[in-house]
């Protein structure tokens, strides 16, 4: 019994050092070497931070690209989904209202042309990205409200479309904040 007890104590000490000292130090170093030094990648305009690249924001003005709806009003402190099922009357009302709003500002679209991501909230409520398709459906509206050529807005969108990692991992995506900051810089 004494030999098992000594082995157990040694194993416990090794695991404490490995998991409570070495692992946290490695993760901290990895974070410090990443963009933003582990504090998140900030987006600045004229020296002023306007947001974080990996946290969604609310854009409701028609001259901006809109992101995915949020069940938590983009509050990072309360990141969560709505937990409403697809047959919940409140959820269905929210989706219907979002569809109506999109059709009001995009009269050239049919209900079936609207990507589901533009009317349903993400699981975190903080999704910063939309698909290129969801952004393309907004090009005409943004160009009209800004009095810009659609081709110019479409080219800006194409320049801000991130392709899958190594062409394999994940979908193509558009960071809404980065795109809107670049849009404001267009003259």
């Amino acid at each position: 019994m004494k030999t098992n007890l000594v082995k157990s104590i040694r194993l416990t000490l090794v695991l404490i050092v490995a998991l409570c000292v070495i692992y946290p130090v490695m993760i901290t170093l990895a974070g410090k070497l990443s963009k933003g030094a582990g504090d998140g990648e900030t987006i600045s305009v004229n020296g002023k931070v306007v947001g974080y690249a990996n946290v969604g924001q609310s854009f409701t003005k028609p001259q901006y690209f809109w992101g995915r709806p949020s069940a938590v009003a983009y509050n990072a402190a309360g990141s969560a989904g709505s937990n409403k099922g697809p047959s919940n009357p409140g959820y269905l009302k929210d989706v219907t209202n979002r569809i109506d709003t999109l059709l009001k500002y995009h009269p050239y679209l049919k209900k079936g042309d609207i990507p589901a991501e533009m009317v349903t909230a993400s699981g975190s409520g903080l999704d910063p990205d939309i698909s290129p398709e969801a952004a393309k459906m907004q090009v005409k509206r943004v160009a009209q409200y800004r009095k810009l050529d659609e081709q110019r807005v479409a080219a800006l969108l194409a320049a801000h479309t991130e392709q899958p990692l190594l062409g394999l991992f994940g979908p193509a995506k558009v960071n809404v904040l980065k795109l809107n900051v670049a849009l404001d810089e267009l003259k």
Side-chain angles (χ1 to χ4, degrees), residues 35-167:
K35 285 184 182 177
D39 294 328
E41 179 186 351
T42 57
I43 306 293
S44 298
V45 175
N46 298 327
K48 180 182 175 197
V49 174
V50 294
Y52 285 88
N54 293 321
V55 178
Q57 293 188 34
S58 177
F59 288 98
T60 56
K61 292 182 180 177
Q63 64 265 32
Y64 287 105
F65 283 90
W66 298 340
R68 189 164 185 183
S70 173
V72 294
Y74 299 97
N75 180 355
S79 174
S82 70
N83 292 331
K84 294 178 182 174
S87 62
N88 181 292
Y91 173 78
L92 294 174
K93 186 175 187 257
D94 289 345
V95 170
T96 301
N97 289 341
R98 291 171 185 154
I99 290 171
D100 292 344
T101 300
L102 281 170
L103 291 175
K104 176 184 171 187
Y105 285 95
H106 303 88
Y108 49 88
L109 289 178
K110 295 182 189 102
K111 189 176 179 180
D113 296 334
I114 299 172
E117 71 189 277
M118 294 305 294
V119 295
T120 58
S122 67
S124 70
L126 302 172
D127 197 345
D129 304 314
I130 56 175
S131 69
E133 294 74 26
K136 285 175 190 169
M137 71 159 230
Q138 301 180 64
V139 167
K140 186 173 185 173
R141 170 187 45 87
V142 170
Q144 285 175 343
Y145 276 91
R146 288 187 174 257
K147 297 177 178 31
L148 293 170
D149 179 55
E150 275 185 56
Q151 298 301 323
R152 193 168 177 206
V153 176
L156 183 70
L157 168 61
H160 283 82
T161 300
E162 299 173 32
Q163 297 304 318
L165 181 65
L166 302 175

